Amino acid sequence: TLFRSKKLFRDSLNIIDDAQALLAEEEKKLIINEVVAKLLHKLSPGQAELCAEFMRQFYGTVALEDLNTWNSDDLYGAAMNFWSLIQQRGPDETKIRIYNPDFERHGWQTTHTVVEVITTDMPFIVDSLRLVLNRMGLTCYLAIHMGGLSLKRDPNNQIVEILPHGTAADKDILVEAPIFLEIDRQTDVAVLQELHRNFEHALEETRAVVDDWSPMREQIRMAIAELDEAASFIDPAELDETKAFLNWIEDHHFTFLGVRDYELIDDGKEKILQAIPDTGLGVLRDSLSKSSAFNL
């Protein structure tokens, strides 16, 4: 009887949680629909439908308590400003805008500095941006990442269709990553410029890591094969341990950030490892890496 009572109590709590979740979703829909209604009256029909779908997906990922901190005018203004950034984007282009919203200029306001990013969707994006903020000692108060916006663009790179969330990319469908951040308010132009540069560099490195992910894993597999060829002059126990470690990190237990080949150089005074040109991958690509040699 006691067991049944506990189970009934847990079931009751689950029902209450489910009901609260449904109520929260319904309240979110009401808030979003109010914002969408504003733009339907202000934009031309074609643009209004596109922007409305963007707003639904954009704010649909935001927690109710965060939506409730803004009024409908600010929600409308924030989304419309972001829409103006993402509406046109060239192939593989990364666009970053950092600004302090002012109601007279932007149609909405907040006490924070806003960062808007649109780029190709890929792993690690938000984490990379947060690392920049952490290094600069800045706090992020709100991060909106939709987890990929599936869309089509015309030959002029304008959005012409927004597809249901989760639609996979193909030759005609792009999956892009709109990211919206609210951070500590910054008014120093030098700090804002540094922030912009750091974000650009972080996203460039992230793209390099993602694009070179498979080639870097292939380099590890090649190293394992080379060890097999060197079995005749390497201690068997050391060989087995090294191969086991390399196989373990290659089997999705390690995040490869960069790989590069070096050659041992004796310049007469000391031995140095000199990077071999065009062998760098990830963050160690020649175009990204600043150092090509170091002393032993």
Side-chain angles (χ1 to χ4, degrees):
T1 302
L2 179 61
F3 174 78
R4 289 179 58 192
S5 298
K6 287 182 177 179
K7 184 177 183 301
L8 288 172
F9 179 69
R10 286 196 300 270
D11 290 344
S12 298
L13 289 178
N14 290 334
I15 292 171
I16 292 172
D17 289 341
D18 291 343
Q20 289 176 335
L22 287 173
L23 287 172
E25 284 303 311
E26 288 302 314
E27 189 173 345
K28 277 180 60 173
K29 287 180 182 178
L30 289 174
I31 293 172
I32 295 170
N33 287 340
E34 182 181 354
V35 179
V36 167
K38 289 179 180 291
L39 74 89
L40 292 177
H41 290 294
K42 296 184 179 183
L43 298 182
S44 61
Q47 280 297 308
E49 288 304 319
L50 281 174
C51 192
E53 181 57 29
F54 164 70
M55 280 193 180
R56 292 188 185 100
Q57 293 193 28
F58 180 61
Y59 285 130
T61 62
V62 181
L64 176 61
E65 53 266 35
D66 289 322
L67 287 179
N68 278 329
T69 62
W70 293 359
N71 61 44
S72 61
D73 286 337
D74 288 337
L75 288 170
Y76 171 79
M80 289 303 299
N81 274 273
F82 201 3
W83 176 253
S84 71
L85 180 73
I86 74 172
Q87 196 171 10
Q88 183 177 45
R89 172 183 175 261
D92 296 322
E93 181 183 10
T94 292
K95 299 173 72 174
I96 302 171
R97 180 165 62 193
I98 305 173
Y99 71 107
N100 293 316
D102 174 78
F103 192 83
E104 297 300 322
R105 294 178 57 199
H106 306 105
W108 76 289
Q109 57 190 357
T110 177
T111 57
H112 300 130
T113 289
V114 167
V115 180
E116 298 170 343
V117 176
I118 180 70
T119 188
T120 301
D121 191 43
M122 54 189 166
F124 314 127
I125 300 178
V126 176
D127 290 338
S128 299
L129 299 179
R130 287 186 183 276
L131 285 173
V132 170
L133 296 175
N134 290 341
R135 285 197 296 265
M136 295 183 66
L138 301 175
T139 300
C140 181
Y141 297 93
L142 175 66
I144 304 176
H145 177 217
M146 303 165 62
L149 179 67
S150 301
L151 49 82
K152 294 182 179 181
R153 294 184 181 272
D154 65 17
N156 295 319
N157 301 316
Q158 296 276 349
I159 294 176
V160 293
E161 185 178 357
I162 295 179
L163 300 151
H165 185 265
T167 302
D170 65 18
K171 62 182 181 66
D172 297 317
I173 299 172
L174 304 171
V175 181
E176 302 183 2
I179 301 167
F180 179 98
L181 308 174
E182 278 196 290
I183 66 173
D184 289 320
R185 192 173 185 89
Q186 304 298 311
T187 57
D188 188 326
V189 174
V191 173
L192 293 171
Q193 290 175 340
E194 181 186 3
L195 189 60
H196 196 285
R197 286 194 301 270
N198 289 342
F199 279 149
E200 282 186 324
H201 185 66
L203 292 173
E204 185 181 9
E205 287 189 329
T206 300
R207 178 182 290 276
V209 169
V210 172
D211 288 348
D212 291 347
W213 179 259
S214 293
M216 285 192 285
R217 291 184 63 200
E218 178 60 26
Q219 288 290 314
I220 299 301
R221 290 191 286 267
M222 290 173 60
I224 295 170
E226 289 175 0
L227 285 172
D228 286 332
E229 295 174 2
S232 60
F233 55 86
I234 296 180
D235 179 79
E238 184 178 349
L239 179 65
D240 290 342
E241 182 179 359
T242 302
K243 286 177 58 181
F245 174 70
L246 291 176
N247 277 303
W248 181 81
I249 66 172
E250 193 277 331
D251 188 25
H252 303 287
H253 291 103
F254 189 79
T255 300
F256 295 101
L257 298 181
V259 170
R260 184 165 58 190
D261 291 339
Y262 290 83
E263 58 182 340
L264 186 62
I265 301 293
D266 189 345
D267 66 355
K269 297 181 180 179
E270 56 189 356
K271 294 184 183 296
I272 63 172
L273 283 175
Q274 178 71 46
I276 299 175
D278 302 321
T279 62
L281 296 171
V283 299
L284 293 179
R285 283 182 181 181
D286 291 358
S287 60
L288 294 176
S289 181
K290 298 179 181 178
S291 175
S292 61
F294 56 89
N295 299 334
L296 292 178

